Amino acid sequence: QKEVEQNSGPLSVPEGAIASLNCTYSDRVSQSFFWYRQYSGKSPELIMSIYSNGDKEDGRFTAQLNKASQYVSLLIRDSQPSDSATYLCAVMPRNTDKLIFGTGTRLQVFP
Amino acid sequence: DAGVIQSPRHEVTEMGQEVTLRCKPISGHNSLFWYRQTMMRGLELLIYFNNNVPIDDSGMPEDRFSAKMPNASFSTLKIQPSEPRDSAVYFCASSLSLNQPQHFGDGTRLSIL
């Protein structure tokens, strides 16, 4: 089992819809969770961090964390074509300073 | 504010040559990370430093790879000798401290012929 798993996609949603991206992780005692967006040919860009169970909202983005079920998700409301990118989930297990990245989910938002 | 600065942006060289990648972290950031990204393996952590000291180099693939951080504003990743399978995008990232969000540079696209 991979430490951080994501569906590679592509996930295709129409403009204006909600895009839901999911990530599961294997280390039950992980403490910190991050979502990065990576446009083709560009570097990963941090868009959300979440540390405790529940929802965290920032503009059109909402991160959701459920430690009991070991999953973290990212919701993008009112999706725009400019949101089309690969979204990387990253997890930092407890007692380590390493970020473990998933392989990413490619999101396509069509007009 | 300036972000993480990497150079060169692109490097094409023949196998067997020495390659040196450079990184300047965000000012005030105490932790620095080197990653490699390929289609097959995704984003892999190679090595990271805290306060200029290497903490974990277990991700460095072989002895051909080495990294240094002589001061708080500069780090290098060296490959000697280079091989075609080293072709990838190499990213440097920095954070205020360990456990804090990491911010990535634009990367170096390395091609070994």
Side-chain angles (χ1 to χ4, degrees), chain B residues 13-32:
Chain B
T13 192
E14 293 185 346
M15 66 177 294
Q17 298 297 307
E18 177 178 292
V19 173
T20 299
L21 311 181
R22 298 172 175 80
C23 176
K24 175 180 169 56
I26 294 172
S27 178
H29 281 196
N30 295 319
S31 303
L32 182 140

Side-chain angles (χ1 to χ4, degrees), chain B residues 53-72:
Chain B
V53 176
I55 303 300
D56 188 334
D57 66 355
S58 60
M60 297 285 258
E62 299 172 33
D63 291 344
R64 298 184 296 106
F65 286 69
S66 62
K68 295 182 179 179
M69 191 165 187
N71 58 61

Side-chain angles (χ1 to χ4, degrees), chain A residues 17-86:
Chain A
I18 296 175
S20 177
L21 304 160
N22 300 311
C23 171
T24 58
Y25 59 94
S26 60
D27 188 332
R28 181 173 295 275
V29 295
S30 295
Q31 291 284 291
S32 307
F33 307 84
F34 306 91
W35 282 99
Y36 286 81
R37 177 177 61 199
Q38 186 173 24
Y39 292 113
S40 180
K42 301 296 186 181
S43 61
E45 173 192 8
L46 178 70
I47 53 173
M48 290 287 285
S49 59
I50 187 166
Y51 304 96
S52 54
N53 278 328
D55 295 0
K56 179 181 178 182
E57 187 174 316
D58 184 0
R60 295 186 297 113
F61 298 100
T62 299
Q64 299 175 318
L65 175 61
N66 185 323
K67 291 187 177 180
S69 300
Q70 295 174 236
Y71 83 77
V72 56
S73 61
L74 179 70
L75 301 178
I76 306 175
R77 289 182 299 282
D78 188 23
S79 296
Q80 302 295 310
S82 59
D83 295 326
S84 299
T86 295

Side-chain angles (χ1 to χ4, degrees), chain B residues 2 9 42-43 52-53 63 68 74 83 85 89 100 106:
Chain B
R9 291 294 309 278
L43 200 57
N52 312 337
V53 176
D63 291 344
K68 295 182 179 179
F74 184 67
E83 296 183 4
R85 59 194 168 116
V89 181
Q100 294 298 306
D106 289 337

Side-chain angles (χ1 to χ4, degrees), chain A residues 36 38 43-44 46 92 97-98, chain B residues 37 56 58 98-99 101-102 105:
Chain A
Y36 286 81
Q38 186 173 24
S43 61
L46 178 70
M92 186 176 291
D97 309 311
K98 299 181 183 182
Chain B
Q37 188 174 40
D56 188 334
S58 60
L98 296 173
N99 299 323
Q102 297 175 21

